[in-house]
Amino acid sequence: MQFRYNYRLYPSPGQRAALARAFGCARVVFNDARRARQEAHAGGLPYPTDAELSARLTARKATPERAWLAEVSSVVLQQALVDLNAAYRNFFASLAGRRKGPKVAPPRFRSRKDGRQAIRFTANARFKVLANGKLQLPKIGDVPVRWSRDLPAAPSSVTVIKDAAGRYFASFVVEPEPGTLPATEPVIGIDLGLTHFAVLSDGRKIASPRFLRRAQKKLRRAQRALSRKEKGSQNRNKARIKLARAHARVADARRDFHHQLSTTLIRDNQAVAVEDLAVNGLARTRLAKSVHDAGWSAFVHMLEYKARRYGREFRRIGRFEPTSQVCSACGAQDGRKPLHIRTWRCQRCGAWLDRDINAAVNVARAAGLAVTACGAQVRPGVIPAQRGEAGTHPKPRRDEA
Ligand SMILES: [Zn+2]
């Protein structure tokens, strides 16, 4: 399992100039190779191989008009080629139908106007985290880093990114040995949100990513198309294959998303608490939440094994705790609330509570984790009025336990 660790970088003006040069060189190398492949294609020639492109780069560095490429680390340039090759491989695999997930476009040319610029140094480049906390980058210099947390092991690569806002970041890839993640303070409770995939006790709400929503939309379209086709027809057969592909894409996209989210949660928290779904499911049939359920149990499983592997604590609570009936600020139990009530004011302590976050805090508490209730509290006024509060009455719905 690979973890990414991101930190803010504060390069000096000289280092920023060197980075700009490196971004520019990587871009030129990428675009030269992109053009070479395009020309080969236009001329009906076989695609130049990765090795050929690499050899061309070396030759080009010896020419006067590209001699300035020698001013940046050769690893950075090689990695630009690696990026291009990976992009092409994905594109070809997608064309041939070997790659699941959304269709991949051929790599586009990079531009100096791109909002995000990035270069990568691998271990070969001998980048180094110095004893004084600076990041030594070949041909750039010793760049100050804000170490917001410890790196658990030696990184295998670092990507230096400049974002659209002009900020610099170092993104390290680390593959820690099992059980060697550094201990960390935070603990977190997770609630399966109604409108979000997951809601965290610190107040964060996590929606399904766009690529997953898009895949799901395509799946629904494929399902409708199949149902319209005549039984036994050739078109129905085609529609069935299309539907099977759409299913596979959704499954892959969902798994990717679960992996990313579970890895981040395990990396960042010492203990993670969730509700037990077996108990929960009974209480929630027919609810909108059930659309997430299939994915949710796979996700919880990932959290569990990653926690075990990396020495984190994983706790599961039964649904005996009425997580949406209890105020997470003062513990007052003020009864069931219809599902359309998304925020309410505690009658005893006066706290304004967000339904999902309040539940996530209560999950963490029920699991014995010490979390603060601050996340659950909202300021009245910042939440848009719900349908019930806006004067219209939604259809009666079942109360949630
Ligand atoms: Zn209260």
Side-chain angles (χ1 to χ4, degrees):
M1 189 157 58
Q2 287 189 335
F3 292 86
R4 269 195 179 280
Y5 282 74
N6 299 323
Y7 306 91
R8 187 83 185 265
L9 290 179
Y10 297 94
S12 67
Q15 291 167 347
R16 283 203 290 271
L19 281 168
R21 210 151 45 228
F23 292 138
C25 289
R27 197 164 58 225
V28 164
V29 166
F30 184 95
N31 288 344
D32 279 354
R34 170 76 180 80
R35 202 168 297 113
R37 291 202 134 173
Q38 194 176 35
E39 282 163 8
H41 181 63
L45 298 167
Y47 273 102
T49 62
D50 300 3
E52 274 163 19
L53 289 174
S54 177
R56 269 186 222 188
L57 167 61
T58 310
R60 194 152 304 159
K61 273 161 76 172
T63 67
E65 61 271 22
R66 288 280 190 259
W68 41 270
L69 287 177
E71 287 174 30
V72 307
S73 162
S74 58
V75 169
V76 163
L77 306 181
Q78 290 295 339
Q79 289 298 310
L81 284 183
V82 168
D83 287 349
L84 180 78
N85 294 329
Y88 264 111
R89 260 192 300 282
N90 289 341
F91 168 57
F92 290 136
S94 176
L95 273 186
R98 285 193 313 270
R99 189 176 191 276
K100 295 175 175 166
K103 274 268 173 280
V104 175
R108 54 173 195 84
F109 286 98
R110 289 182 179 171
S111 159
R112 75 172 70 223
K113 292 189 187 117
D114 290 343
R116 182 184 184 275
Q117 306 278 342
I119 47 172
R120 189 167 52 246
F121 298 85
T122 58
N124 290 343
R126 282 190 262 281
F127 70 87
K128 205 161 154 192
V129 177
L130 302 172
N132 64 8
K134 290 182 177 175
L135 172 62
Q136 187 171 71
L137 295 171
K139 304 208 179 179
I140 304 288
D142 301 347
V143 184
V145 184
R146 193 163 64 81
W147 295 103
S148 42
R149 67 174 78 145
D150 289 339
L151 277 174
S156 58
S157 77
V158 60
T159 302
V160 177
I161 299 154
K162 184 186 180 202
D163 74 3
R167 297 173 302 178
Y168 293 83
F169 297 91
S171 178
F172 294 92
V173 171
V174 176
E175 196 148 356
E177 293 291 308
T180 57
L181 277 184
T184 181
E185 282 293 313
V187 296
I188 209 147
I190 308 173
D191 184 63
L192 173 56
L194 182 63
T195 49
H196 293 78
F197 173 76
V199 177
L200 310 182
S201 55
D202 63 6
R204 277 180 294 162
K205 297 185 172 189
I206 293 155
S208 297
R210 201 147 51 111
F211 64 87
L212 177 54
R213 294 202 303 269
R214 213 183 296 138
Q216 281 164 332
K217 208 186 256 174
K218 280 197 176 146
L219 173 61
R220 282 195 293 277
R221 215 176 297 143
Q223 266 157 348
R224 279 197 302 273
L226 177 64
S227 68
R228 282 196 301 265
K229 300 285 184 280
E230 207 178 312
K231 282 212 174 102
S233 70
Q234 190 55 38
N235 277 341
R236 188 181 173 87
N237 221 12
K238 271 190 213 148
R240 199 175 9 232
I241 292 166
K242 234 182 186 165
L243 178 62
R245 281 210 192 108
H247 265 297
R249 274 186 205 123
V250 167
D252 288 343
R254 186 181 282 142
R255 194 171 44 244
D256 286 352
F257 166 55
H258 290 164
H259 268 303
Q260 280 167 22
L261 182 58
S262 57
T263 295
T264 307
L265 289 171
I266 291 302
R267 182 193 64 189
D268 294 348
N269 295 285
Q270 190 61 34
V272 173
V274 298
E275 284 176 285
D276 192 337
L277 292 168
V279 181
N280 204 358
L282 297 174
R284 286 183 170 179
T285 30
R286 213 177 68 82
L287 294 182
K289 287 192 181 194
S290 61
V291 301
H292 292 310
D293 281 356
W296 179 250
S297 63
F299 170 71
V300 168
H301 176 70
M302 283 180 191
L303 278 178
E304 193 170 9
Y305 80 70
K306 288 178 184 180
R308 203 180 317 123
R309 180 153 182 209
Y310 290 100
R312 302 302 203 214
E313 219 173 308
F314 175 84
R315 297 188 195 175
R316 205 192 282 269
I317 64 148
R319 218 3 170 31
F320 308 109
E321 315 280 337
T323 53
S324 68
Q325 297 182 28
V326 175
C327 167
S328 60
C330 74
Q333 186 163 349
D334 54 1
R336 298 172 160 217
K337 290 148 203 87
L339 265 181
H340 68 273
I341 303 291
R342 308 307 306 158
T343 62
W344 68 86
R345 189 159 192 264
C346 172
Q347 295 301 315
R348 195 208 280 173
C349 74
W352 276 93
L353 300 162
D354 173 288
R355 182 188 194 103
D356 298 323
I357 304 170
N358 185 61
V361 171
N362 284 333
V363 165
R365 292 266 175 75
L369 302 181
V371 295
T372 68
C374 322
Q377 293 182 43
V378 291
R379 266 180 302 138
V382 296
I383 303 288
Q386 297 300 316
R387 279 196 292 170
E389 299 161 358
T392 58
H393 290 279
K395 277 180 256 155
R397 283 189 244 188
R398 279 183 29 175
D399 282 3
E400 192 197 1

